[in-house]
Amino acid sequence: MHAPRGLTDSPQTAGTGPKHKPPLVLFDLDNTLVDRAEGLRQWAEEFTRDRGLGTAAVEWIVEADDNGLKSRDRFFAEVRDRFAIGDSIEALHHAYQQRYPLFLRCPQHVLDQIAQLRESGWRVGVVTNGLTLTQGAVLEHTGLVRHLDGWCISEEAGVRKPDPEIFTLAAERCGSDLTDGWMCGDSPEADVIGAQLAGLHTIWIRHGRSWSDSLPAPDRTVDSIAEALQALRPIGSPVIPR
């Protein structure tokens, strides 16, 4: 995998320092731009099939994964102990990093709509918590790297959502700033509250859930990434054409 723009030390900027920065939108990765839940299930099906663990093991693994919130070391320790697997935690994790990204997809219509946003003048980036190797491979395999101005992965950035610093860093890598910028994601705490703390407008993908009255509400609530992208198109007018 080539050295990604998400790992550069300096932001990509257009021209020679325009007075106004281009409009910015940042996206979460898992269960926003890609269907992590489905990708994890497909990986689990292959893993259990190759090891002869039976179909019931798939559901156990999906539940144990805790939507990716559990550390991979702990997750694979539990998998190894549950199914009496002789491989080390490190070996299981390495095999996962090689195979799991291949099950992730970003729909072509989403890639096309991102391309349209960029053509109209938006700067587009990704902000994701996770491991650099795994999330970087997902960005590469899905083709998203060709449609982004920059990205931040928490491990390499040294900061995690909802810390506002990661949004600021992502904006810099995209050649923009947070002024009147937007963040779109599915996590109330990591994506919406974190972005609000950074001064961003927010779009929440609800996935059938209800917003908690105890939290500051997002600017927009949608049912899908396609709906979020449609909502962004008429917002504001780009400052700098590409």
Side-chain angles (χ1 to χ4, degrees), residues 89-153:
I89 294 170
E90 293 76 13
L92 290 171
H93 191 183
H94 178 73
Y96 167 85
Q97 289 178 313
Q98 297 298 310
R99 292 297 300 165
Y100 161 76
L102 304 182
F103 293 106
L104 275 294
R105 302 285 185 273
C106 183
Q108 187 61 48
H109 68 87
V110 172
L111 295 175
D112 291 344
Q113 289 184 75
I114 291 174
Q116 291 168 12
L117 281 177
R118 295 182 76 220
E119 288 169 4
S120 70
W122 288 83
R123 292 294 171 91
V124 180
V126 160
V127 182
T128 177
N129 289 343
L131 300 178
T132 305
L133 180 61
T134 304
Q135 299 298 73
V138 171
L139 290 172
E140 187 81 34
H141 174 70
T142 57
L144 278 162
V145 291
R146 297 188 294 275
H147 296 273
L148 300 173
D149 294 293
W151 54 87
C152 274
I153 301 171

Side-chain angles (χ1 to χ4, degrees), residues 185-199:
D186 69 304
S187 169
E189 294 78 14
D191 298 321
V192 177
I193 303 304
Q196 289 173 339
L197 291 172

Side-chain angles (χ1 to χ4, degrees), residues 11-220:
Q12 293 85 50
T13 56
T16 57
K19 183 177 181 180
H20 300 289
K21 293 293 183 73
L24 172 74
V25 58
L26 300 173
F27 292 95
D28 172 47
L29 182 59
D30 293 329
N31 293 328
T32 295
L33 291 177
V34 301
D35 188 343
R36 183 189 184 279
E38 179 60 25
L40 187 280
R41 178 172 292 275
Q42 290 182 17
W43 169 82
E45 289 172 349
E46 179 186 78
F47 179 82
T48 56
R49 182 173 61 251
D50 289 349
R51 293 176 177 271
L53 302 179
T55 56
V58 174
E59 298 305 323
W60 186 92
I61 288 173
V62 169
E63 184 174 352
D65 172 74
D66 193 23
N67 200 30
L69 298 176
K70 186 178 294 182
S71 75
R72 296 300 83 182
D73 285 349
R74 180 182 171 192
F75 171 65
F76 283 109
E78 292 178 1
V79 170
R80 184 189 61 177
D81 294 345
R82 170 77 177 189
F83 301 107
I85 295 172
D87 302 47
S88 68
I89 294 170
E90 293 76 13
L92 290 171
H93 191 183
H94 178 73
Y96 167 85
Q97 289 178 313
Q98 297 298 310
R99 292 297 300 165
Y100 161 76
L102 304 182
F103 293 106
L104 275 294
R105 302 285 185 273
C106 183
Q108 187 61 48
H109 68 87
V110 172
L111 295 175
D112 291 344
Q113 289 184 75
I114 291 174
Q116 291 168 12
L117 281 177
R118 295 182 76 220
E119 288 169 4
S120 70
W122 288 83
R123 292 294 171 91
V124 180
V126 160
V127 182
T128 177
N129 289 343
L131 300 178
T132 305
L133 180 61
T134 304
Q135 299 298 73
V138 171
L139 290 172
E140 187 81 34
H141 174 70
T142 57
L144 278 162
V145 291
R146 297 188 294 275
H147 296 273
L148 300 173
D149 294 293
W151 54 87
C152 274
I153 301 171
S154 64
E155 183 186 40
E156 58 84 12
V159 61
R160 293 175 57 85
K161 296 182 293 184
D163 191 319
E165 184 180 344
I166 196 169
F167 301 98
T168 300
L169 180 57
E172 292 173 354
R173 290 180 176 181
C174 290
S176 188
D177 58 31
L178 300 180
T179 305
D180 294 324
W182 288 79
M183 173 66 193
C184 174
D186 69 304
S187 169
E189 294 78 14
D191 298 321
V192 177
I193 303 304
Q196 289 173 339
L197 291 172
L200 289 162
H201 303 294
T202 56
I203 299 177
W204 180 54
I205 302 178
R206 62 179 137 209
H207 293 313
R209 299 165 295 170
S210 298
W211 187 262
S212 171
D213 292 336
S214 65
L215 298 175
D219 294 283
R220 305 283 181 92

